[in-house]
Amino acid sequence: MKEAIPLKRTAGLPRVGARTVRRLVLVVLLCLCSFVALAQVSPPTPLPTTAPATVFSAGRAIQHVEALAQAPRSMGTPGHRAAQQYLVKEIEALGLLPEVQATTVVQRWPGATQFSVGSVENILVRLPGTNSTGAIVLDGHYDSGSNSPGAADCGSCVATLLETMRALRASAALRNDVIFVFADGEENGDLGAYAFITQHPWRKDVRLAINFEATGNRGPNLLYSTSPNNRRIIEGFLKASPRPAAYAFATVFDRWLPMTRIGCDLEEYMDHGVPGLGFALTGNTTGYHNRLDSAARLSRRSLQHQGNDALALAQYFGDQDLGDLEASQDAVYFNILPQVGVHYSTAWAMPLAVGVTLIFLVVVRLRRGRLAIRGMAIGAIAFLTAAIAAVLFTTLLWWVIKTLNPNLQVHLIGHYRTLQYFAGLSIFAVALMVMAQGWLRRLGLRDRMAGVGLVWLGLMWLTSMLSPYISYLFTWPLLFYCLLLGWYRSARYRSGSWLHISVLLLAALPGMILLLPVVVHPTLAFMVRLEAFMPVPLLALPTIFVVLLMGLLVPHVDVLTDQVRFSTGEATPSRGTLPSVLLIVSTIVLTLATLTSGFDAEQPRPNSIAYALDGDTGQATWVSVDTHLDDWTAQFFPAQTEPRIYELFPGVPVRAFTAPAPAQPLETPSVTLLSQDMSSQDMSSQDMSSQDIDNSVTRILRLRLTSPRGAANLNVQFIADGIVKSATVNGAAMRLGELPTATRDQLIFDYFNVPKGGIELTLRVQTTQLVRLAVTDTAYGLPQPLTASILPRSDEQMPSFWGLDPTYVKKTFRL
């Protein structure tokens, strides 16, 4: 049976010309659909400083960013202290009284075997409500990476909170309290947020937490993390936000990979039972944790989007009853237009799956009997095989490109041509899918379409059962695809007619609207982040969605690849033209991206160097964790130096270039034994072995650890020939009982923002033997006597995200 009724030849050239026009229109309309899909996540136009006082203005907020982003603000640095002073001054200028929560906090992420500890200084402000049912927290951290001005990460968050606070002050008072948490130490393990939610008395009033973050300096204010049972707060967000950018799929990385803690400060609130929403700017990740994160490069549109959401959410939830925001289900939510979001309970996921399944079963049985199960199964296997092969070949292509281009082997989050490379890879994947469909046309269009539907049906059921909040990605596109399949099987359509083109466009729209935005935000952003730390070509992985979408476009590809004979007017398959064009376009895009992937003042090359002094031996070492040396780092290493495994901190091996460095008379960390006591259990037996005695004696050590050279951070590794029973730092206890038993003979922690007087460490250790304490302090910048002989970086170079040329000094003590 023929797939379509042949076109009758009345006037060959005009008929062929009309068909060509319709195909061109289909291509244009599909491109327009792609544009509309991606426009959903475009930020709004920024408002100037003259905007009304009651609205958020990016023009006013950017002034705060410019003031904060003068220097890096990592804990314990001058920039960090300057930011604190600026925040206090600006808050007081609004007629409010800020509170500084200064405390020592001990943090350990789930699964970690070491602790993050620090002296944090959160800056808190509370706007009281008129009839409060609880408090809403708006959280944004004011610290930055050690080598970054931190305009986006997270100067934008701080500016958003300040401008939102000002707008709320200019508006009518809200029913509920609003607490602003300018959190410290997020870059060092969410220390400030953890300190607030575990120690501050206001924590008991918190009913909702809203956190703002940035992993890039452009893009939408994307809702990328939420607490479980979020249906009510999602409903509120979609009602309140004037331009929501919300896809339930964005939360998949946070929920499926909890060890990544990508929820940032919001994780701390959610861990303590507080419902919450987490937002982030995810575009242009190359401006992350380096000098490119400047106020000049921060998108004002992104800042406006962030601020609009902050103010709208504070006002909406500020007037709601916060008594019970948690629902019994999660929400399925997604955008369908730039200002339109859809949501429903995950309880609907299974009924919808059943409904779509029934429709699918009906449409595959239409038209003179039953569709051959064998044909549908072959179609499904063929599509699945083609899709997997396309992703694998695309990944292989990206691996080859990265391997051959040293410009892509630097420490950046992403690459300066990330979007161009991904566009080229996506076009390549599309070309492979079109090529595969050309080979598979002998199966028949309806078999191929039914096979694709069967694969999508499996994905719909898999997500509906395991992760119903992301089932929408497959449910709604499949529903419209089923309608298209039913139309193909029940109607005598004219292939390439205007009605045919219209139906094809309508069927493609849901898949494009739902899948394309999640490819770029957040999937691409998360993949390039992981790729920066893993030797895996993850940039190509989001093409999974591209090849899945190509399955829904099987009939579209048939229309575009049909070649019309002028002699008869009949359409026949043309396998090579479209994939050849796509391969040429892909090659051009990837070639242009490669040719422009080099470095200049606008696209500086990141590099790293560190000075490590071993206080035990007096030997110093230059260390670079770069993949390749450049003309600046080469000055530190002899020719032909090869990377090797090196312990930058005790027990922390890294692959790095190393070379002897001039030893400098730097002061080493100091450990002072303040007191030592021993306690024992019943030792009346005369037959106890020395091991029994060791197991019954507990040494109690009080130590003071200092950095005489005033380094900001300490890395401490304590190793004992016995069990560490308890430990406190400045009176804050470490939860050692949560550690694996096999690791209880040692204690490892980093202390950030070391006080001038040092830190007090109290240990209870079950041993009578000597214990070893290795302390490494970290200061930013190379030793001053050496800088005169070091050539400066050019404008085309910058420190990488590993740090601002740190100097490490290690000293080992036996007690």
Side-chain angles (χ1 to χ4, degrees):
M1 185 176 293
K2 292 184 178 181
E3 302 289 353
I5 297 174
L7 297 175
K8 294 181 179 180
R9 182 176 178 268
T10 54
L13 186 59
R15 177 73 68 180
V16 173
R19 184 183 181 87
T20 301
V21 169
R22 289 169 186 146
R23 289 196 294 185
L24 288 174
V25 169
L26 177 60
V27 171
V28 171
L29 290 177
L30 288 176
C31 292
L32 183 61
C33 288
S34 300
F35 175 80
V36 172
L38 295 176
Q40 299 174 53
V41 288
S42 61
T45 302
L47 297 181
T49 56
T50 55
T54 55
V55 303
F56 187 98
S57 161
R60 290 189 286 256
I62 197 64
Q63 297 174 5
H64 296 305
V65 177
E66 291 169 345
L68 289 164
Q70 297 295 313
R73 303 185 303 279
S74 56
M75 294 181 71
T77 63
H80 184 252
R81 290 186 288 273
Q84 294 172 0
Q85 295 167 2
Y86 178 83
L87 287 172
V88 170
K89 183 189 71 172
E90 290 299 313
I91 293 167
E92 290 176 343
L94 293 175
L96 299 168
L97 184 63
E99 176 182 334
V100 179
Q101 181 194 10
T103 185
T104 299
V105 63
V106 176
Q107 167 71 298
R108 187 186 71 87
W109 284 355
T113 57
Q114 64 183 60
F115 295 86
S116 292
V117 192
S119 299
V120 302
E121 294 177 283
N122 292 329
I123 299 173
L124 313 175
V125 182
R126 185 165 185 162
L127 300 183
T130 58
N131 186 21
S132 183
T133 62
I136 304 163
V137 161
L138 298 184
D139 180 293
H141 71 90
Y142 70 88
D143 63 313
S144 74
S146 65
N147 58 351
S148 169
D153 184 25
C154 211
S156 67
C157 314
V158 173
T160 290
L161 265 59
L162 286 172
E163 173 65 3
T164 298
M165 186 188 304
R166 184 210 56 74
L168 290 178
R169 290 280 286 169
S171 305
L174 299 173
R175 176 186 182 183
N176 298 313
D177 295 359
V178 180
I179 299 173
F180 293 84
V181 177
F182 299 90
D184 194 6
E186 186 277 339
E187 302 292 357
N188 306 116
D190 307 337
L191 295 180
Y194 184 76
F196 173 77
I197 200 62
T198 58
Q199 297 183 18
H200 200 277
W202 291 353
R203 73 186 187 278
K204 298 177 182 178
D205 302 325
V206 177
R207 299 293 179 268
L208 176 67
I210 304 170
N211 176 234
F212 297 95
E213 258 297 347
T215 61
N217 54 22
R218 307 189 68 84
N221 184 52
L222 180 72
L223 177 63
Y224 79 106
S225 181
T226 70
S227 53
N229 301 322
N230 59 16
R231 184 168 57 86
R232 291 197 178 101
I233 59 176
I234 290 298
E235 179 182 10
F237 165 64
L238 293 178
K239 283 182 181 178
S241 175
R243 195 181 183 93
Y247 295 90
F249 179 79
T251 64
V252 72
F253 304 107
D254 192 17
R255 296 193 181 188
W256 289 5
L257 302 170
M259 72 293 296
T260 62
R261 304 292 287 183
I262 63 172
C264 303
D265 278 356
L266 183 64
E267 296 278 3
E268 307 309 325
Y269 297 95
M270 293 191 299
D271 285 350
H272 290 82
V274 178
L277 301 168
F279 299 88
L281 307 182
T282 59
N284 190 31
T285 57
T286 53
Y288 176 75
H289 279 213
N290 56 48
R291 82 173 192 208
L292 300 181
D293 190 7
S294 64
R297 292 175 181 259
L298 174 64
S299 168
R300 273 59 172 170
R301 293 170 62 93
S302 299
L303 183 59
Q304 185 69 49
H305 200 187
Q306 197 175 61
N308 285 352
D309 282 343
L311 181 58
L313 287 169
Q315 291 175 328
Y316 176 83
F317 286 107
D319 281 328
Q320 302 299 309
D321 186 346
L322 302 179
D324 184 15
L325 288 178
E326 288 194 82
S328 57
Q329 300 97 20
D330 273 338
V332 178
Y333 57 93
F334 49 88
N335 282 77
I336 56 174
L337 289 172
Q339 294 177 297
V340 180
V342 174
H343 72 94
Y344 52 87
S345 170
T346 52
W348 281 97
M350 292 300 290
L352 285 171
V354 171
V356 173
T357 302
L358 292 176
I359 293 173
F360 177 77
L361 293 176
V362 169
V363 298
V364 298
R365 290 172 61 89
L366 290 178
R367 190 178 174 87
R368 300 181 187 177
R370 180 177 304 175
L371 180 72
I373 295 177
R374 179 175 178 273
M376 183 169 62
I378 293 175
I381 295 171
F383 168 65
L384 199 57
T385 302
I388 293 172
V391 173
L392 290 178
F393 278 114
T394 304
T395 302
L396 178 63
L397 174 62
W398 175 236
W399 178 80
V400 171
I401 291 172
K402 281 196 68 176
T403 301
L404 297 179
N405 187 356
N407 293 336
L408 305 179
Q409 301 168 23
V410 295
H411 288 138
L412 274 175
I413 305 296
H415 310 282
Y416 290 121
R417 293 291 179 265
T418 293
L419 291 179
Q420 292 91 324
Y421 273 119
F422 184 71
L425 293 172
S426 297
I427 296 170
F428 177 76
V430 169
L432 295 181
M433 291 299 292
V434 172
M435 194 180 304
Q437 289 193 38
W439 292 334
L440 296 171
R441 287 188 75 153
R442 68 186 65 182
L443 294 177
L445 177 59
R446 295 184 183 97
D447 283 351
R448 285 182 286 133
M449 288 184 66
V452 169
L454 189 61
V455 172
W456 273 74
L457 194 72
L459 293 172
M460 179 188 69
W461 276 101
L462 187 66
T463 53
S464 296
M465 291 187 295
L466 300 181
S467 299
Y469 59 94
I470 65 170
S471 60
Y472 74 96
L473 280 177
F474 305 101
T475 302
W476 296 106
L478 179 58
L479 172 62
F480 280 74
Y481 184 75
C482 285
L483 299 179
L484 175 64
L485 180 59
W487 185 76
Y488 262 77
R489 290 191 51 75
S490 63
R492 292 175 61 81
Y493 63 93
R494 295 180 70 86
S495 178
S497 67
W498 284 117
L499 177 60
H500 188 199
I501 298 300
S502 300
V503 173
L504 288 176
L505 182 66
L506 180 64
L509 195 58
M512 300 180 80
I513 290 291
L514 296 181
L515 265 67
L516 291 182
V518 303
V519 170
V520 180
H521 302 287
T523 311
L524 185 60
F526 188 71
M527 288 301 110
V528 297
R529 188 182 180 99
L530 287 182
E531 188 177 84
F533 300 98
M534 300 170 61
V536 182
L538 295 174
L539 178 65
L541 202 57
T543 58
I544 290 174
F545 294 105
V546 176
V547 299
L548 286 175
L549 183 59
M550 286 302 298
L552 302 183
L553 301 181
V554 165
H556 305 68
V557 172
D558 273 16
V559 170
L560 295 176
T561 55
D562 279 348
Q563 184 177 24
V564 179
R565 295 178 181 175
F566 284 88
S567 59
T568 64
E570 292 184 351
T572 58
S574 175
R575 295 183 180 179
T577 304
L578 182 57
S580 297
V581 170
L582 290 171
L583 287 174
I584 291 172
V585 173
S586 173
T587 301
I588 292 173
V589 173
L590 293 173
T591 300
L592 289 176
T594 299
L595 292 176
T596 57
S597 65
F599 306 109
D600 54 32
E602 288 298 308
Q603 298 180 176
R605 176 191 176 102
N607 55 31
S608 69
I609 195 68
Y611 179 87
L613 177 64
D614 188 333
D616 301 325
T617 64
Q619 295 180 342
T621 307
W622 292 120
V623 182
S624 175
V625 293
D626 293 345
T627 305
H628 303 285
L629 299 177
D630 61 12
D631 58 359
W632 185 77
T633 51
Q635 67 181 306
F636 300 98
F637 303 94
Q640 310 303 320
T641 300
E642 295 293 332
R644 66 183 182 91
I645 301 301
Y646 176 81
E647 284 197 357
L648 198 56
F649 295 104
V652 185
V654 295
R655 188 175 184 274
F657 292 92
T658 62
Q664 296 297 302
L666 302 178
E667 294 183 277
T668 61
S670 171
V671 173
T672 303
L673 180 61
L674 300 178
S675 66
Q676 179 176 206
D677 295 309
M678 288 196 178
S679 63
S680 61
Q681 301 170 1
D682 182 13
M683 298 176 58
S684 58
S685 173
Q686 301 297 316
D687 299 324
M688 291 182 69
S689 67
S690 59
Q691 182 65 43
D692 292 333
I693 294 174
D694 285 349
N695 291 336
S696 65
V697 175
T698 299
R699 296 178 63 191
I700 305 174
L701 303 171
R702 284 182 58 240
L703 310 170
R704 180 164 298 280
L705 284 58
T706 59
S707 173
R709 65 191 186 101
N713 307 323
L714 291 177
N715 173 269
V716 179
Q717 185 180 62
F718 179 81
I719 299 178
D721 187 20
I723 298 297
V724 181
K725 300 180 69 174
S726 68
T728 62
V729 183
N730 290 349
M734 298 185 181
R735 301 186 304 274
L736 301 182
E738 299 175 0
L739 293 176
T741 304
T743 65
R744 290 289 301 278
D745 61 344
Q746 58 182 315
L747 173 68
I748 304 173
F749 67 91
D750 291 297
Y751 196 105
F752 301 97
N753 195 13
V754 178
K756 290 183 178 180
I759 62 174
E760 184 173 315
L761 175 64
T762 301
L763 299 163
R764 296 178 67 247
V765 190
Q766 190 173 290
T767 184
T768 60
Q769 307 299 314
L770 288 176
V771 295
R772 184 170 70 89
L773 190 65
V775 184
T776 305
D777 66 11
T778 304
Y780 300 111
L782 301 177
Q784 193 63 37
L786 297 178
T787 56
S789 60
I790 296 174
L791 296 176
R793 288 183 174 91
S794 69
D795 291 339
E796 299 181 3
Q797 297 165 328
M798 66 177 180
S800 72
F801 57 68
W802 289 108
L804 186 60
D805 302 340
T807 294
Y808 304 105
V809 180
K810 184 189 74 172
K811 183 69 174 177
T812 303
F813 304 86
R814 297 188 180 277
L815 304 169

